[in-house]
Amino acid sequence: MSLVVEMRVAVEAVLVASRLCQSVFKTLVLGESLAKDDKSPVTVADFGAQAVVNALLLKHFPDDPIVGEEDSKDLKSNTALSGRVLGLVNGVMESKMTTEQMFNNIDRGNYVGGRTGRFWTLDPIDGTKGFLRGDQYAVCLALIVDGTVELGVLGCPNLPHDLSKPDGECGSILVATRGDGAFQRSLTSDIMTRISTTRVENPAETRLCEGIEPLHSSHATNGQIMAHLLQNSNNHSPTNIRMDSQCKYALVARGDAGIYLRVPVSSTYQEKIWDHAAGKLIVEEAGGRVTDILGRELDFGSGRTLKENEGILATGGTVLYDKVYAAVKSVVKS
Ligand SMILES: Nc1ncnc2c1ncn2[C@@H]1O[C@H](COP(=O)(O)O)[C@@H](O)[C@H]1OP(=O)(O)O
Ligand SMILES: [Mg+2]
Ligand SMILES: [Mg+2]
Ligand SMILES: [Mg+2]
């Protein structure tokens, strides 16, 4: 399946949304974020980024439904906030929209998903808490066809090009289409460079990355899994990288980290498809393997959530995967 046009449009949409997020961060004032029903934060940038990506997808692919994280409910009841979002959106879009069109664009993300047909899935800001801290976050867009992720784009505006130089140049877009490998470019140049996961097969020679929020995944279990993996190793275990958002998939895809583990803390939380679709494809196309912690393929055809899966296990290469999976199996009693 040729997805040349889809890739071009998706990269452009993620770039425009990333620029909007960057401009918001410089001017974000107190009161420009809300707490959602689940108590997670949402900012003017989350709404704005969803409005611009959905508008660009609508323009080029009017028949494609979208599974997006946000909806306009809370924005509609807050005139000051919706005015601010409209200003941001029209600041980056060539064709300007009205408030009503902006609400409609945001709400085009209300698709239920499913096993058949083609749809997009969007997380306008993944890692909103990281964004608010001035830390890592990602604009995440993927195309799913008959339950399979065919195209993934991750915009990581604060991700250092070289992880060993955190104060150096930042901002990467990672892209993959199924079967064609994974690539990255900077926010400012359209030159794409191929990326690949680590070739290291010894867990002691690579690093684990995990989320920062202890309520999203278990740091303690990760510690036990790594201890199990390194029990016969004389090497010092390198420190874990803690980072918000799908930037963790970017680290594995680029070989900065060998392992990403997300062991659930809550038995009721279902991972959302927009939190994993792009990252999973990019890691796999870079040479890695991504499953849930029970070794099952991620099921992107089961609706808006990954309700058939538990947690995430992503690694570079299959030999490393097999070792980490064996360790997970002996540590995690489901
Ligand atoms: N209880 C939870 N368990 C796991 N992940 C969660 C939970 N609540 C929110 N998330 C989502 O986890 C992702 C961040 O993961 P991490 O902690 O690894 O950075 C975000 O998509 C966040 O949603 P949101 O997009 O609203 O920020
Ligand atoms: Mg959120
Ligand atoms: Mg989000
Ligand atoms: Mg998210």
Side-chain angles (χ1 to χ4, degrees):
M1 156 179 353
S2 169
L3 295 174
V4 174
V5 179
E6 283 82 352
M7 197 212 280
R8 185 180 53 74
V9 172
V11 169
E12 178 61 22
V14 167
L15 259 175
V16 174
S18 298
R19 283 196 202 108
L20 181 147
C21 295
Q22 288 179 304
S23 77
V24 175
F25 185 70
K26 290 186 194 129
T27 58
L28 194 75
V29 294
L30 217 63
E32 287 188 338
S33 61
L34 300 168
K36 298 204 278 191
D37 294 344
D38 65 0
K39 304 280 186 293
S40 67
V42 57
T43 72
V44 288
D46 299 62
F47 291 121
Q50 179 149 327
V52 302
V53 172
N54 284 3
L56 289 167
L57 292 178
L58 176 66
K59 178 176 163 199
H60 293 276
F61 311 109
D63 298 329
D64 286 354
I66 303 164
V67 176
E69 179 183 0
E70 310 301 345
D71 66 63
S72 72
K73 183 169 70 59
D74 294 336
L75 201 55
K76 277 181 173 153
S77 55
N78 190 327
T79 325
L81 223 55
S82 58
R84 167 86 160 117
V85 178
L86 188 68
L88 290 167
V89 167
N90 284 337
V92 294
M93 291 291 284
E94 272 173 32
S95 39
K96 309 301 172 199
M97 51 182 106
T98 64
T99 307
E100 210 45 45
Q101 287 168 329
M102 176 184 77
F103 290 148
N104 289 340
N105 279 321
I106 293 171
D107 290 334
R108 285 200 73 243
N110 66 2
Y111 187 58
V112 291
R115 204 152 303 286
T116 53
R118 151 177 163 139
F119 62 88
W120 297 85
T121 187
L122 168 69
D123 191 339
I125 295 188
D126 182 40
T128 307
K129 288 184 178 168
F131 172 71
L132 285 166
R133 263 192 256 111
D135 223 326
Q136 297 304 326
Y137 66 97
V139 178
C140 315
L141 181 61
L143 178 68
I144 294 174
V145 183
D146 297 335
T148 300
V149 188
E150 296 287 347
L151 162 67
V153 181
L154 285 181
C156 309
N158 288 344
L159 193 63
H161 291 186
D162 179 345
L163 212 60
S164 67
K165 297 185 185 126
D167 299 324
E169 235 186 300
C170 287
S172 292
I173 306 245
L174 289 88
V175 190
T177 48
R178 200 159 68 86
D180 295 331
F183 297 83
Q184 74 171 339
R185 50 163 284 179
S186 75
L187 291 184
T188 48
S189 151
D190 58 8
I191 298 168
M192 295 270 195
T193 318
R194 189 180 275 272
I195 51 173
S196 49
T197 59
T198 180
R199 299 225 172 96
V200 162
E201 296 179 351
N202 177 0
E205 290 170 26
T206 186
R207 300 176 81 183
L208 166 84
C209 63
E210 59 188 354
I212 292 176
E213 285 297 319
L215 295 176
H216 293 177
S217 64
S218 171
H219 293 154
T221 313
N222 285 356
Q224 290 168 349
I225 293 165
M226 288 311 284
H228 190 90
L229 275 167
L230 302 174
Q231 60 192 338
N232 297 321
S233 160
N234 297 323
N235 300 16
H236 290 296
S237 80
T239 50
N240 299 347
I241 305 172
R242 286 201 177 150
M243 193 178 271
D244 296 292
S245 84
Q246 281 187 63
C247 286
K248 293 187 282 295
Y249 284 108
L251 295 187
V252 177
R254 301 196 315 193
D256 293 317
I259 307 165
Y260 166 28
L261 269 168
R262 191 176 186 85
V263 179
V265 176
S266 144
S267 57
T268 52
Y269 183 80
Q270 294 178 350
E271 295 289 341
K272 310 298 187 289
I273 61 169
W274 55 79
D275 282 327
H276 302 286
K280 170 214 145 74
L281 182 67
I282 289 166
V283 165
E284 288 182 344
E285 287 299 325
R289 177 138 168 74
V290 183
T291 64
D292 75 359
I293 56 163
L294 301 178
R296 299 175 297 199
E297 293 299 323
L298 302 185
D299 180 4
F300 290 95
S302 66
R304 288 173 66 87
T305 68
L306 293 170
K307 59 171 172 282
E308 303 300 334
N309 295 109
E310 277 177 65
I312 301 290
L313 164 54
T315 72
T318 50
V319 177
L320 185 59
Y321 175 89
D322 290 342
K323 291 180 182 170
V324 181
Y325 175 58
V328 172
K329 232 162 74 173
S330 48
V331 169
V332 180
K333 317 271 180 272
S334 65

